[in-house]
Amino acid sequence: MTDSKLPEQNDFGTNSGNYSKPINSFYLQADSVNTFNNDENTVNNVANEKLVFVLTGSVHEINPVRQRIIETHLRKVSGDRQLAVSSIEEGSIILTGSLACLEKLQGLFVEGRLLEVLGIPVKDVFFLGKETKETQEESDLVRDIFENGAFGKDLTNANLKGINLAGADLNGCDLSGANLEKADLSNANLFYVNLSGTIIDSQTKLDDKWLLVWQIVNQQLKQQNLVGVDLSCTYLINAELSRIHLCDANFSDANLEGINFAHANLEGANFTNANLEGANLENAKLNNANLTNADLSYTNFRKANLRCANLINTDLSNADVSRANLSDAILNNANLIRSNFSDANLRGSNLIKAYLSGANLIRADLKRANLKNAHLDAVYLISADLRRANLSNAFLDAANFKGANVENTRFANNPGISQQMKDDLMRRGAVFSG
């Protein structure tokens, strides 16, 4: 067949993608175009690169004439007279040519001018010859993840496009800004993974839990009702969840530092061992919530409802709990050092062995509260209501009871109390025994 029967060069790259002389009924669909560098020291020599068309379909009966048509046409397109079809295999056509030739083909594809080649749709073009080292590094990374896990690994801005990480252990790694388009992370362990700024698309495979986490940290959450949702062991630092219905949600062991839960409904939610340092829970509903062992330091609980909440062993140091409702809450062994409970409702609360050193309890309602063995040194109880409260064995060194209502308040064996303070409290109705 002579060149006169080949499509003219100006037919190449038409907007419609059609050509004046297609190759009869022969049709190929290319998923990608790859190149392999055979010799890095001779990249400028002819035929030291291989261009591979990876096909979705099968290659059937490409005779020498058809091979010559493809070869001659691509020579004209690239300007490389020595471009050649080196082999045709099931699922691929392999071309050899110079690096400059292949770079030209890549450039034409990027410009949208190489979308088809004689009826063969081209979907992607990339140079493995230039990226062999990077590709090998990605392969080694994936292998290392499967063999050793990825705990604490920094994968920020990593290119994991199309990578199969199904079932991989990515616990604790940083994927912020990583490209996960078309990646498969189904059944992967994404505990504590930072997904902020991570790029995904409709083909990315993520379990529902982690897709929700991605939406929370990257989008304005449209769904307002997340009752009973499982967000345990998640990384939601500085996330926005204000005014969301999260009754009975599970946030156990989650990293929620700086999260915004203002006005959120968190009734019955589980925050066991969660990190809520610096979080905003102003006006949040937390009645009957479980906050055992949680880090609540420097947290804003102003006007929050914590009625009957479980706060055993929590760290509430330096927190703002002013005007909050903690009636009947359990705060045994809690660290409440330097916290602000001014005007808070602590009626009937259990504060056995709680550490309240330097805390502000001005005007707090502590009626019937149990403060047995609590550390109340240097605490401000000015104008607080302590009627029928139990302060037996509580540490009272430098505690300030000015204006406090201590009628029928029980005291006994209180380290740090002076005789003068004791006499003053008894005159005001306090009861001392032992």
Side-chain angles (χ1 to χ4, degrees):
M1 181 177 290
T2 64
D3 288 350
S4 63
K5 294 184 179 180
L6 298 173
E8 296 296 326
Q9 186 171 350
N10 57 15
D11 290 329
F12 173 78
T14 57
N15 291 331
S16 65
N18 297 322
Y19 297 87
S20 59
K21 295 184 183 294
I23 310 175
N24 299 325
S25 62
F26 173 65
Y27 179 82
L28 300 176
Q29 184 176 4
D31 269 345
S32 60
V33 181
N34 309 338
T35 65
F36 299 90
N37 189 355
N38 293 331
D39 185 352
E40 292 183 355
N41 297 320
T42 58
V43 294
N44 294 318
N45 293 336
V46 175
N48 66 336
E49 297 280 340
K50 290 184 179 180
L51 182 67
V52 182
F53 286 79
V54 181
L55 312 173
T56 58
S58 298
V59 180
H60 296 294
E61 298 179 356
I62 299 182
N63 57 39
V65 173
R66 289 174 175 171
Q67 177 175 325
R68 175 63 176 164
I69 293 172
I70 295 171
E71 187 176 72
T72 304
H73 181 68
L74 289 175
R75 284 181 180 180
K76 288 185 176 182
V77 172
S78 64
D80 186 345
R81 294 183 179 181
Q82 299 198 39
L83 182 85
V85 175
S86 65
S87 65
I88 297 174
E89 302 172 359
E90 186 71 16
S92 65
I93 296 177
I94 302 176
L95 305 171
T96 58
S98 68
L99 178 60
C101 153
L102 300 177
E103 286 180 338
K104 181 176 181 179
L105 293 178
Q106 183 195 40
L108 290 169
F109 173 79
V110 171
E111 294 167 7
R113 297 168 58 196
L114 179 53
L115 301 179
E116 290 189 5
V117 177
L118 297 178
I120 306 172
V122 180
K123 293 185 177 180
D124 195 13
V125 177
F126 58 95
F127 281 86
L128 290 180
K130 289 184 177 180
E131 299 178 10
T132 300
K133 182 178 180 181
E134 179 181 344
T135 304
Q136 184 62 47
E137 288 175 352
E138 291 176 0
S139 178
D140 291 343
L141 173 61
V142 173
R143 186 182 303 109
D144 181 57
I145 289 172
F146 277 102
E147 291 179 356
N148 305 308
F151 184 78
K153 193 177 290 293
D154 185 0
L155 298 177
T156 55
N157 303 312
N159 182 13
L160 297 171
K161 183 177 180 180
I163 297 295
N164 184 0
L165 290 167
D169 184 3
L170 295 165
N171 184 357
C173 76
D174 189 347
L175 282 171
S176 58
N179 186 350
L180 295 175
E181 293 176 312
K182 301 180 182 178
D184 186 354
L185 289 94
S186 53
N187 298 314
N189 179 359
L190 298 177
F191 287 179
Y192 308 109
V193 171
N194 183 0
L195 293 172
S196 178
T198 301
I199 303 168
I200 67 173
D201 62 11
S202 60
Q203 297 183 58
T204 303
K205 294 181 181 179
L206 278 172
D207 295 343
D208 290 344
K209 174 177 179 175
W210 305 113
L211 178 58
L212 176 59
V213 170
W214 183 89
Q215 291 171 337
I216 290 172
V217 299
N218 291 292
Q219 298 177 337
Q220 182 66 41
L221 198 63
K222 296 179 181 179
Q223 188 175 359
Q224 296 298 309
N225 190 342
L226 294 173
V227 174
V229 70
D230 178 15
L231 290 168
S232 59
C233 302
T234 53
Y235 184 98
L236 295 171
I237 287 182
N238 298 320
E240 175 58 50
L241 284 171
S242 60
R243 303 183 184 277
I244 304 296
H245 294 283
L246 290 155
C247 299
D248 300 314
N250 183 5
F251 290 98
S252 60
D253 298 285
N255 191 344
L256 309 170
E257 184 178 344
I259 197 169
N260 185 8
F261 278 127
H263 299 274
N265 189 341
L266 294 156
E267 296 180 34
N270 182 3
F271 289 96
T272 304
N273 300 314
N275 176 15
L276 286 144
E277 182 180 356
N280 182 11
L281 290 112
E282 185 168 1
N283 280 296
K285 294 180 181 179
L286 289 149
N287 39 304
N288 297 298
N290 186 355
L291 294 130
T292 305
N293 297 316
D295 185 349
L296 308 173
S297 57
Y298 297 95
T299 301
N300 176 10
F301 281 105
R302 286 193 299 267
K303 302 180 185 178
N305 185 354
L306 289 150
R307 185 176 180 275
C308 297
N310 186 344
L311 293 139
I312 294 175
N313 294 321
T314 58
D315 183 357
L316 262 166
S317 59
N318 300 287
D320 185 352
V321 202
S322 58
R323 302 179 66 184
N325 181 4
L326 293 103
S327 58
D328 298 310
I330 306 173
L331 295 107
N332 295 352
N333 297 299
N335 178 4
L336 311 174
I337 294 174
R338 293 183 299 277
S339 290
N340 180 10
F341 286 91
S342 60
D343 299 291
N345 180 1
L346 289 154
R347 192 179 304 175
S349 60
N350 198 334
L351 291 146
I352 295 175
K353 295 183 179 180
Y355 291 82
L356 286 147
S357 305
N360 179 358
L361 287 158
I362 296 173
R363 296 181 302 277
D365 185 349
L366 287 153
K367 287 193 292 288
R368 296 180 286 100
N370 189 348
L371 290 146
K372 189 175 181 180
N373 294 104
H375 292 256
L376 297 169
D377 41 303
V379 70
Y380 292 90
L381 286 158
I382 299 170
S383 300
D385 190 343
L386 288 160
R387 286 177 289 177
R388 297 187 299 282
N390 183 358
L391 277 74
S392 300
N393 303 306
F395 293 77
L396 299 175
D397 187 27
N400 190 337
F401 287 90
K402 183 178 180 180
N405 189 338
V406 292
E407 185 178 349
N408 294 314
T409 303
R410 285 179 289 168
F411 291 86
N413 303 315
N414 300 108
I417 191 171
S418 65
Q419 188 61 45
Q420 182 181 357
M421 180 189 292
K422 181 177 180 180
D423 293 340
D424 177 59
L425 292 170
M426 290 179 67
R427 279 195 299 269
R428 290 154 57 188
V431 178
F432 280 81
S433 61

